Amino acid sequence: MNDSGKILGIASDHGGYEMKQFLAEKLKEAGYKVNDYGTHSESSVDYPDFIHPLASDINSGKLKRGIILCGSGNGAQITANKYANVRAALGWSEEQAKLAREHNDSNIISLPGRFVSFELAWKIVNRFLNTNFEGGRHSRRVEKISQLINN
Ligand code: RB5
């Protein structure tokens, strides 16, 4: 990944807060610059309030990659995918994260803070950040995702 890919956004609600803190630290140790969009405590909040700003920055091209979390990963993913240039994939396994990059050119991974271990979450994030898009027939399919929105 080039240098712009070394700047990451991370955001969660309370359901993903502890895991977000863990991942942000690990990513900084690994040499990434991490922009933390919150939340900043375990207090109950509404996930769209934190996911929208990150997804908007991915959509505009200000950020290349993002990591989002909520309890299940679902609400965060649904919110992020409201943006035309966002392809947010659920991250429940390393293989799923790998396929999200290889086949879907996914630019956001959405983790279920309440359903995977910290250790697995770190592996999922690494796989997501270090796998390239395969292109080829998958480019055609990814392009069609946006075509459908515009029709
Ligand atoms: C919060 O309780 C929970 O609903 C949220 O973290 C997320 O799982 C929503 O999809």
Side-chain angles (χ1 to χ4, degrees), residues 2 12 29 52 55 57 60 67 89 94 108 125 134-135 137 145:
N2 63 25
S12 77
E29 282 168 24
H52 274 303
D57 282 349
S60 70
I67 298 157
E94 281 186 85
I108 294 183
V125 165
E134 276 181 8
R137 68 188 187 281
I145 297 171

Side-chain angles (χ1 to χ4, degrees), residues 34-55:
V34 181
N35 293 348
D36 188 344
Y37 289 73
T39 184
H40 298 294
S41 80
E42 286 178 357
S43 301
S44 181
V45 291
D46 300 334
Y47 54 83
D49 294 341
F50 301 90
I51 305 304
H52 274 303
L54 183 152

Side-chain angles (χ1 to χ4, degrees), residues 13-15 47 70-76 114:
D13 71 354
H14 53 290
Y47 54 83
C70 63
S72 62
N74 286 327
R114 292 179 177 149

Side-chain angles (χ1 to χ4, degrees), residues 70-96:
C70 63
S72 62
N74 286 327
Q77 187 207 25
I78 291 166
T79 305
N81 278 324
K82 290 291 178 188
Y83 295 79
N85 299 322
V86 165
R87 291 176 298 282
L90 279 176
W92 282 70
S93 73
E94 281 186 85
E95 184 64 15
Q96 189 190 23

